[in-house]
């Protein structure tokens, strides 16, 4: 049996890596332990690395097309992982999930339209809407004792005749909810009642922990299938974010035509040859690596949660059902967000994602990326404990 190595520390400095080489720009200093941007500090599966290396031997890296095999492999992955049957004409492409959100926004709304988001949420949702002349309608999540939930009643009250679309984070970044089929069905009923298109960011769909499952939004009803855009990728799952290869599923023929027109308009439809190889190899040969990864990530999650609960009074965590991201609640310490950032960056020398960038509901929180070797997490927790106790 192949043993995959997740404990191995890897120095990514000097590789033009945003997570490490942008520390000076983001945090004002280079010596922070970076646990912020959402890629992992693990080597990719050896099968993927070998396939990319083999492709590189050809030494010509020209314009690349997506052949029938590409679609077959994606169909098989969606069926095996989620029981979701998708036809080939319903599969399209985007360099990234955020690009797919932008293309859908431009294809299916007009300037001035309102687009629903559920804060605290992945901050490009807001900028994609605002920078393209649309308006954000925030249906803030409800914070419970141990988890968050959707506020369906508030959602219905807010929708008006200018509300045309919703950006859904499924699973949710940063609070880590793997929305249940029942929750998504209720959401689809509201969308049908008000004739909304839902654009579902499902980039974290493969990172699901014990006792939970991923349900594609488009699979919960016929209306959801015919009035949605699903954006997925192997990038979070297999640590391939730099290869710019995402998958878009649209089951409505007219909507697919309009989406592809936008992709063609902005000339972003060409495939990266190495991204193509990586996607195909990941979805064909990556199951064993992924299962090992999930066990490691779940253990990392439980380690951070246990350490915080035992060693750092005044700090709490929201235990994620999905993603390799931990939403940490520092409000019990009584710091302002500016003071908290100072303590974490200047004193503890830890670089996390600052809660307020996720908008309403992010105040007093920080997002931690636990997709890294355990030794790195242990160092971060000890630094945090020392500063908080001091």
């Amino acid at each position: 049996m192949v043993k995959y190595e997740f404990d191995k520390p890897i120095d990514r400095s000097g590789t033009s890596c945003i997570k490490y080489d942008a520390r000076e720009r983001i945090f004002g200093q280079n010596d922070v332990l970076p646990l912020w941007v959402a890629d992992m500090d693990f080597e990719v599966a050896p099968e993927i690395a070998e396939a990319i290396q083999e492709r590189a031997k050809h030494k010509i890296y020209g314009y690349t097309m997506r052949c029938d095999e590409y679609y077959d492999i994606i169909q098989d992955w969606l069926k095996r992982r989620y029981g979701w049957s998708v036809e080939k004409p319903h599969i399209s492409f985007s360099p990234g999930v955020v690009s797919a959100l932008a293309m859908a926004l431009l294809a299916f709304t007009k300037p001035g339209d309102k687009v629903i988001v559920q804060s605290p949420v992945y901050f490009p949702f807001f900028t994609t809407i605002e920078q393209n002349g649309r308006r954000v309608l925030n249906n803030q999540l409800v914070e419970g004792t141990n988890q968050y939930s959707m506020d369906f009643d508030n959602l219905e009250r807010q929708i008006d005749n200018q509300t045309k679309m919703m950006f859904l984070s499924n699973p949710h970044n940063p609070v880590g909810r793997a929305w249940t089929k029942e929750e998504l069905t209720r959401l689809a009923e509201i969308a049908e009642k008000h004739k909304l298109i839902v654009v579902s960011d499902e980039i974290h769909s493969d990172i699901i922990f014990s006792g939970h499952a991923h349900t594609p939004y488009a699979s919960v009803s016929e209306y959801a299938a015919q009035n949605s855009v699903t954006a997925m990728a192997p990038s979070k799952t297999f640590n391939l974010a730099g290869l710019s290869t995402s998958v878009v599923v649209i089951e409505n023929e007219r909507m697919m035509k309009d989406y592809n027109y936008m992709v063609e308009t902005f000339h972003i439809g060409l495939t990266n040859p190495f991204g193509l190889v990586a996607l195909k190899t990941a979805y064909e040969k990556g199951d064993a690596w992924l299962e090992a990864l999930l066990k490691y990530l779940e253990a990392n999650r439980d380690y951070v949660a246990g350490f915080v609960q035992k060693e750092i009074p005044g700090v709490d965590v929201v235990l994620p059902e999905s993603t390799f991201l931990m939403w940490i609640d520092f409000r019990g310490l009584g710091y302002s967000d500016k003071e908290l950032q100072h303590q974490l960056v200047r004193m503890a020398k830890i670089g996390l994602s600052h809660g307020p960038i996720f908008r309403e509901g992010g105040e007093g929180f920080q997002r931690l990326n636990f997709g890294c070797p355990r030794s790195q997490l242990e160092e971060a927790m000890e630094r945090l404990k020392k500063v908080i106790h001091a």
Side-chain angles (χ1 to χ4, degrees):
M1 180 178 177
V2 177
K3 184 179 184 301
Y4 297 110
E5 184 59 74
F6 299 107
D7 277 323
K8 177 182 175 183
I10 301 170
D11 183 6
R12 298 175 64 187
S13 301
T15 63
S16 298
C17 161
I18 291 175
K19 193 174 192 177
Y20 285 79
D21 293 334
R23 284 179 289 183
E24 178 74 35
R25 176 168 58 85
I26 300 299
F27 299 105
Q29 57 194 71
N30 280 319
D31 58 351
V32 296
L33 184 60
L35 299 171
W36 61 296
V37 70
D39 62 9
M40 297 186 288
D41 288 332
F42 305 130
E43 291 181 344
V44 302
E47 296 87 349
I48 297 173
E50 290 164 9
I52 291 174
Q53 290 162 7
E54 188 63 31
R55 174 64 181 87
K57 289 179 182 178
H58 190 281
K59 300 181 182 178
I60 296 178
Y61 316 127
Y63 296 125
T64 304
M65 62 180 284
R66 293 178 290 279
C67 57
D68 286 343
E69 183 187 17
Y70 167 86
Y71 298 97
D72 292 339
I73 289 168
I74 292 171
Q75 286 179 293
D76 181 63
W77 181 262
L78 298 179
K79 183 67 174 177
R80 282 191 292 115
R81 301 300 295 193
Y82 318 123
W84 187 25
S85 297
V86 174
E87 298 179 14
K88 288 183 184 180
H90 301 160
I91 299 172
S92 188
F93 171 84
S94 176
V97 164
V98 176
S99 303
L101 266 61
M103 295 302 102
L105 187 81
L106 294 172
F108 309 124
T109 67
K110 62 182 185 298
D113 284 347
K114 295 179 182 179
V115 180
I116 300 162
V117 300
Q118 295 177 311
S119 74
V121 73
Y122 184 49
F123 51 90
F125 278 24
F126 299 98
T127 53
T128 299
I129 296 165
E130 293 163 347
Q131 292 172 357
N132 284 290
R134 279 65 171 173
R135 292 182 287 168
V136 170
L137 178 61
N138 186 27
N139 170 229
Q140 187 171 336
L141 297 179
V142 177
E143 183 183 354
T145 304
N146 300 308
Q147 258 307 349
Y148 285 77
S149 60
M150 295 190 198
D151 190 339
F152 294 111
D153 292 336
N154 174 263
L155 175 59
E156 287 231 66
R157 286 194 300 268
Q158 288 181 293
I159 295 172
D160 59 23
N161 59 10
Q162 294 179 303
T163 309
K164 304 298 182 183
M165 180 176 281
M166 176 177 182
F167 282 176
L168 173 67
S169 186
N170 176 38
H172 194 280
N173 171 11
V175 308
R177 277 301 315 277
W179 302 117
T180 65
K181 183 176 181 179
E182 291 72 24
E183 288 171 309
L184 295 174
T185 300
R186 173 81 185 279
L187 182 63
E189 290 169 352
I190 294 172
E192 182 172 9
K193 179 179 177 181
H194 297 280
K195 302 296 183 277
L196 300 177
I197 292 172
V198 173
V199 182
S200 188
D201 172 358
E202 304 192 7
I203 196 170
H204 292 279
S205 56
D206 301 318
I207 310 294
I208 301 290
F209 299 125
S210 302
H212 303 283
H214 175 69
T215 301
Y217 170 79
S219 70
V220 301
S221 73
E222 182 60 22
Y223 181 85
Q226 291 299 315
N227 295 274
S228 67
V229 176
T230 303
M232 317 176 88
S235 56
K236 303 300 182 189
T237 312
F238 295 99
N239 210 24
L240 303 172
L243 295 183
S244 298
T245 304
S246 296
V247 175
V248 174
V249 178
I250 303 174
E251 299 190 44
N252 182 302
E253 183 178 350
R254 177 191 57 78
M255 287 179 60
M256 177 63 89
K257 183 178 179 181
D258 291 345
Y259 171 84
N260 283 334
Y261 177 79
M262 281 298 163
V263 172
E264 293 162 7
T265 297
F266 289 94
H267 301 279
I268 59 171
L270 287 177
T271 299
N272 177 323
F274 299 108
L276 180 64
V277 168
L279 179 146
K280 289 165 62 176
T281 307
Y283 286 168
E284 276 191 313
K285 302 178 180 179
D287 292 80
W289 185 90
L290 175 55
E291 295 311 309
L293 171 74
L294 290 174
K295 290 179 182 178
Y296 192 88
L297 288 177
E298 189 160 346
N300 271 1
R301 177 199 69 170
D302 294 344
Y303 164 75
V304 173
F307 188 97
V308 169
Q309 182 179 24
K310 181 181 178 182
E311 303 288 346
I312 314 180
V315 179
D316 203 357
V317 302
V318 178
L319 197 69
E321 301 166 349
S322 174
T323 81
F324 46 82
L325 306 168
M326 182 84 77
W327 192 230
I328 303 183
D329 183 359
F330 290 91
R331 291 173 299 180
L333 299 177
Y335 292 129
S336 68
D337 285 304
K338 184 177 181 180
E339 290 167 338
L340 176 59
Q341 189 76 339
H342 174 81
Q343 290 293 323
L344 294 174
V345 174
R346 303 299 178 188
M347 306 303 292
K349 298 189 184 301
I350 302 171
L352 307 180
S353 295
H354 194 43
I357 67 174
F358 300 92
R359 302 281 180 103
E360 291 85 350
E363 301 84 0
F365 286 84
Q366 297 271 326
R367 190 191 72 177
L368 178 146
N369 178 348
F370 57 86
C372 61
R374 177 68 60 80
S375 59
Q376 193 166 319
L377 282 182
E378 291 171 346
E379 173 65 22
M381 291 299 101
E382 289 298 334
R383 291 186 189 188
L384 181 61
K385 173 184 173 181
K386 182 178 180 181
V387 166
I388 298 303
H389 283 195

